Amino acid sequence: MFNNTIPSIYSPTSTQAPSDTVAITESKVVRKSDLPRSRPAQFDELPGLPRRYIASEKGSELCRSISDASALSGSDRRLVVVSNRLIDPNKPAAGGLAVALGEMMHNTDGLWFGWSGKTTDASQVSSVRTESFGRTTLAQIDLSKKLHHGYYEGFSNSVLWPVFHEKLKFADLNPEYFKDYETVNNLLASKLGPMLRENDIVWVHDYHLIPFAQQLRAHGCQHRIGFFNHIPLPPPDVIKQIPEHRKLMEGLMSYDLVGMQRPEDVENFRSYAEKEGLVQRLNERDSGAFRRKPSIQAFPIGIDVESLRALQPSSESEAILDDIRNESGRRKLMVGVDRLDYSKGIPKRLMAFRELLETRPDLRNHVTLVQIAAPTRQTVPAYAKLSDKTRKLVDEINDQFGAIDWKPVMYFNESVDRNALPEIYRMSRVGVVTPVADGMNLVAKEYIAAQNPENPGVLVLSTGAGSASQLSDSLLVPPKDRTAIAKAYVRALEMPRYQRQDRHVKLMRNVKTEDLRWWRETYLNALSPSQASAESKSNAIAEADPESGPS
Ligand code: ADQ
């Protein structure tokens, strides 16, 4: 369980990274040797970045702004989380963000703000509705159908999602989408501003809300504001496929801290900023209201191992569990659990399974692939197509190889109750996680955490997953290589127990150490006001002695 407060913020040891780390606060996080190319920068190392924190000079009194970050040392500090969707207190959490933030917010004195999940016909903006969720207040607004379409289905999920996952063929670069995206960010910021208290720390999540801090700053807010990008950030040439990329990426400069999943994402941002002269452009415009000194660092997200292992299936998942239990008594199981999203590589995974059955007839009738695929974003055309394609592949494989008493692919096109997942993972000899691109992928970590250490299963993981560098003791495969994936399936199915145990011990070490709490604490430590005062002190020294400043 999480602590009731935000312990990281109060930690006296939270300020400086050891010298062999690039970022974050603990040496185990990101070692230089893990890095792909040259050292990913904290953003304050870029030439031309203003050395001093520049406070807002403009802005209305919409926000109760603060002028001195070091004043944030009182005990009345609240964590304000902003995300597109909030948790539904009446439903089990599904989806990476809800799972990652749900329990933390339940036990934290905070405010969680975002879209309600409801659209209206009215052009007028709804008022903010609040309800309690443990110790947190959930605050939500409805959006008009038109605005929501451009912001969510449009720019967020038909531009940013495909481009950031390097699936450009699914991008729809309609210029109207960006306008609605900006409007919604502005609208949300204008609603949150008056609710902020002096000592609040604001943590904004994900690609739907990149310009959010810029909009809050325009209203005069000077709070510490952090951003965490849950999905990959691609190389500059790919980002530049978005017509509005300059405006978009400038939005990140209004945060105090920008968190990414992997060092590669940090490197891509640094490289983009350098190539595009991002810092210089902002300096030339002398836009004091928006200029900050953002730090950009990698914080790979983890899971709460104990909470996951403690989950017990409820009666509502008995039917699906009985089917899978029955199958596991007869054959070896392989399992995939995903949202039905083109980034997750589900068709290639199925094709690799077909290749396995073609090339290893002896395994027919001895292995079953359980694929659980939750419908998602069904109003975006690319998702409806994927849904048809996946169903067709499943049917083809079952028609080609199935027998009276064997269905090679058990396909559940639904979101399964989270409580049932650990048992499903544990029953499966192979966990199959093969995204083409994925910020992190929590299913990979959940699969490891749920295993019985005496007789663990094997994780087949694609290098497209952000978790691949942490989980390098899994069987790593290239996401687009069907034959390599099929071979890894065979290796996993035939791996002797001692090897499975050996790999599992190593994988578990990482999953347990770099867990959800560690992610949250390292992030909030870096965002904490004490970090701000450390930064501002080091700037003061740098300015007094030009020789000691960043080059
Ligand atoms: P997602 O793309 O949603 O998250 P992922 O990290 O795999 O992907 O998280 C999915 C969560 O939802 C897991 O906890 C999983 O158990 C659950 N889930 C998935 N499919 C399910 C199903 N069919 N039924 C029930 N539960 C299901 C985004 C990024 C990821 C990043 C997370 C967190 O795309 O790369 O890891 O945010 O940062």
Side-chain angles (χ1 to χ4, degrees), residues 321-334 365-368 370 405-406 410 423 426-429:
L321 272 174
D322 275 351
D323 282 354
I324 299 174
R325 282 182 194 131
N326 191 22
E327 190 65 11
S328 77
R330 298 153 59 132
R331 299 175 182 92
K332 282 185 185 166
L333 300 188
M334 299 169 50
N365 218 332
H366 294 289
V367 56
T368 299
V370 176
D405 64 340
W406 177 52
M410 290 174 81
E423 187 181 339
R426 215 164 17 249
M427 284 190 278
S428 303
R429 171 57 60 86

Side-chain angles (χ1 to χ4, degrees), residues 496-522:
R497 184 191 284 224
Y498 77 93
Q499 277 184 23
R500 286 186 275 122
Q501 286 175 332
D502 185 44
R503 284 174 184 270
H504 182 254
V505 167
K506 291 177 184 154
L507 289 166
M508 208 40 199
R509 209 173 285 145
N510 178 277
V511 173
K512 266 187 152 166
T513 314
E514 295 175 359
D515 66 358
L516 183 59
R517 183 173 179 158
W518 168 87
W519 170 75
R520 174 182 59 121
E521 291 186 4
T522 49

Side-chain angles (χ1 to χ4, degrees), residues 93-97 99-100 161 165 206 228-232 261 301 303 308 337-339 341 343-344 372-375 377 412 414-418 421 425 438-444 446 466 519:
L97 197 121
V99 169
W161 182 273
H165 287 87
D206 234 356
F228 187 78
N229 196 40
H230 289 257
I231 66 175
Q261 299 271 28
I301 195 168
I303 61 163
L308 183 95
V337 177
D338 310 81
R339 287 184 303 101
D341 191 294
S343 66
K344 306 289 181 185
I372 299 171
R377 302 174 196 165
F412 300 94
E414 59 194 84
S415 176
V416 168
D417 177 14
R418 182 165 175 74
L421 287 179
Y425 292 137
D438 214 336
M440 182 53 47
N441 197 297
L442 297 179
V443 171
E446 291 170 358
W519 170 75

